[in-house]
Amino acid sequence: MATILVVTSGKGGVGKTTTSAAVSMGLAMAGHKTVVVDFDIGLRNLDIIMNCERRVVFDFVNVIQGEASLNQALIKDKRCSDLYILPASQTRDKDALTKEGVKQVLDQLSEQFEYIVCDSPAGIEHGALMAMYYADTAIVVTNPEVSSVRDSDRILGILQSKSRRAETNDTPVKEHLLVTRFDPARVAKGEMLSIDDIEEILAVPLLGVIPESQAVLNASNSGNPVILDSKSDAGQAYSDTVERLLGKELPHRFLEAQKKGLFQRVFGG
Amino acid sequence: MVSIFDIFGKDKEPKSASVAKERLKVIVAHERRARNAPDYLPALQNDIMAVIRKYVDIDPEQLQIDLNEEGNFSVLEVNVNLPK
């Protein structure tokens, strides 16, 4: 039985696809056979973040509608042999995803993979509901910013009431908080919500903190999941996140601002 | 980090992060209550509003209703601010 993991947030642009790419690559590099599925029907982007946009022939919707087999649609990652990508359709709309169709594909994937990472679209509409419906575990990606925190709370409410586990009174979806684009220097200045603030408001266990980092844009520019940039702060923070997901206890890093020189300390900035 | 400009500066306003936290706590608590409330609550609120408006002209934000769980029963709390 595979573990189905949804990466969700409510708000757009907070780092769901970046996280899906990094986490799925991290799980696969740790030796777990992993597939990452793009649920953003009509606006597929996981393929370009994973650098396989020119290898897409068939997609998720083709498989649901019986126009292609699952193995025809799966794209094998060129960097890690344990990682596969199932791209979203670019031409259909989100209603092409049905509960039954999604279940069929996830059941089939469960036979081959240990982890199925579902990259949710933004919003709380059909596509987002389909991405979370069958989840065992959820990573709620949140920026330290009011609209993102509020939307995360909304998504948590939906996980607790509209997921398969909620509807069938199964054990609840395991929730994890991942704070991204965190800037400790601004927290120190009182300009940004702290990790404690966000944990207090959302009351969800913290899985990881990804610092605001130039490495993330560099990674998406070249199509390499940022976790492969092991020299970068964001890459290391994602590696820690994956290890915690796999059960290891690690202290959170990158929570403190870099020490400033005397000049900066006296004159601010 | 406190700079020399902060020490001698005059800004004594609360930092924006604490404003954000307070605003979030209020709205998240409100939305959680609404989420767990029975479906009829918004309709009930509209009906109560219509009844009050037959007698006094009030704005929608002058009426607040909350349903609070108290063990094996619930308490419907209705707060109406009437203009003088």
Side-chain angles (χ1 to χ4, degrees):
Chain A
M1 251 333 252
T3 299
I4 302 176
L5 197 159
V6 63
V7 177
T8 185
S9 69
K11 190 173 182 301
V14 297
K16 282 182 298 299
T17 301
T18 298
T19 297
S20 298
V23 166
S24 57
M25 179 62 81
L27 289 167
M29 286 194 310
H32 300 283
K33 203 170 175 207
T34 301
V35 59
V36 56
V37 183
D38 191 348
F39 275 77
D40 203 347
I41 308 303
L43 283 173
R44 84 166 163 234
N45 273 318
L46 181 68
D47 56 340
I48 200 162
I49 297 298
M50 299 291 291
N51 200 16
C52 63
E53 70 275 14
R54 297 195 303 153
R55 297 167 61 205
V56 177
V57 183
F58 295 111
D59 59 57
F60 194 6
V61 174
N62 291 139
V63 179
I64 287 180
Q65 301 191 338
E67 296 154 354
S69 73
L70 185 57
N71 287 327
Q72 283 177 304
L74 285 174
I75 301 172
K76 186 174 182 170
D77 189 83
K78 287 196 165 162
R79 294 150 295 207
C80 182
S81 60
D82 281 324
L83 181 60
Y84 287 75
I85 297 118
L86 182 57
S89 168
Q90 188 69 304
T91 51
R92 313 293 178 84
D93 71 45
K94 57 188 188 313
D95 296 327
L97 297 181
T98 58
K99 258 185 202 171
E100 298 70 34
V102 171
K103 181 177 191 312
Q104 229 171 45
V105 173
L106 293 179
D107 282 348
Q108 245 184 301
L109 289 171
S110 279
E111 293 167 12
Q112 305 182 36
F113 293 96
E114 278 178 77
Y115 285 94
I116 302 171
V117 178
C118 303
D119 183 19
S120 173
I124 52 171
E125 286 183 61
H126 188 70
L129 294 178
M130 286 300 103
M132 70 167 65
Y133 189 75
Y134 294 101
D136 303 305
T137 302
I139 297 180
V140 179
V141 182
T142 306
N143 288 169
E145 179 271 326
V146 287
S147 54
S148 176
V149 175
R150 181 197 201 177
D151 288 359
S152 292
D153 190 69
R154 190 87 199 276
I155 280 291
L156 288 163
I158 295 172
L159 280 165
Q160 290 157 12
S161 62
K162 299 218 167 91
S163 61
R164 180 197 64 79
R165 284 174 173 273
E167 285 185 354
T168 59
N169 284 320
D170 202 346
T171 47
V173 177
K174 191 162 191 217
E175 300 161 348
H176 295 287
L177 172 65
L178 182 71
V179 178
T180 59
R181 308 202 66 167
F182 185 70
D183 185 344
R186 298 201 73 183
V187 175
K189 283 195 239 168
E191 294 175 353
M192 182 180 274
L193 291 165
S194 70
I195 298 299
D196 288 348
D197 292 342
I198 300 169
E199 277 189 283
E200 185 187 327
I201 292 162
L202 294 179
V204 174
L206 182 67
L207 177 69
V209 179
I210 312 300
E212 173 78 56
S213 170
Q214 298 187 352
V216 173
L217 181 57
N218 285 331
S220 74
N221 285 343
S222 55
N224 286 314
V226 69
I227 197 166
L228 295 173
D229 184 356
S230 55
K231 289 199 181 74
S232 70
D233 47 1
Q236 291 171 15
Y238 271 117
S239 292
D240 289 2
T241 299
V242 170
E243 290 205 57
R244 286 190 205 102
L245 204 54
L246 292 170
K248 196 165 171 187
E249 284 191 28
L250 288 174
H252 291 282
R253 293 194 274 169
F254 314 107
L255 302 184
E256 302 289 326
Q258 296 278 310
K259 287 271 189 296
K260 288 180 180 178
L262 179 66
F263 181 85
Q264 278 178 303
R265 232 183 289 183
V266 174
F267 295 101
Chain B
M1 202 55 64
V2 179
S3 83
I4 219 162
F5 297 119
D6 292 331
I7 294 167
F8 296 109
K10 61 268 164 230
D11 84 6
K12 281 283 172 283
E13 283 176 28
K15 298 289 190 188
S16 67
S18 51
V19 177
K21 186 182 179 186
E22 286 316 306
R23 291 175 59 215
L24 272 169
K25 276 169 121 172
V26 172
I27 190 67
V28 163
H30 177 78
E31 288 177 348
R32 276 181 196 160
R33 273 202 305 275
R35 198 187 292 158
N36 298 325
D39 296 340
Y40 62 74
L41 209 62
L44 177 64
Q45 175 153 5
N46 284 340
D47 286 355
I48 293 174
M49 188 75 198
V51 171
I52 295 169
R53 275 195 167 162
K54 270 168 73 179
Y55 304 94
V56 192
D57 190 27
I58 61 167
D59 287 331
E61 67 256 37
Q62 303 306 315
L63 171 71
Q64 279 187 339
I65 78 170
D66 276 315
L67 197 63
N68 298 312
E69 301 267 331
E70 309 249 340
N72 55 356
F73 58 92
S74 299
V75 174
L76 180 70
E77 197 180 306
V78 181
N79 276 304
V80 191
N81 290 325
L82 298 178
K84 282 200 172 176

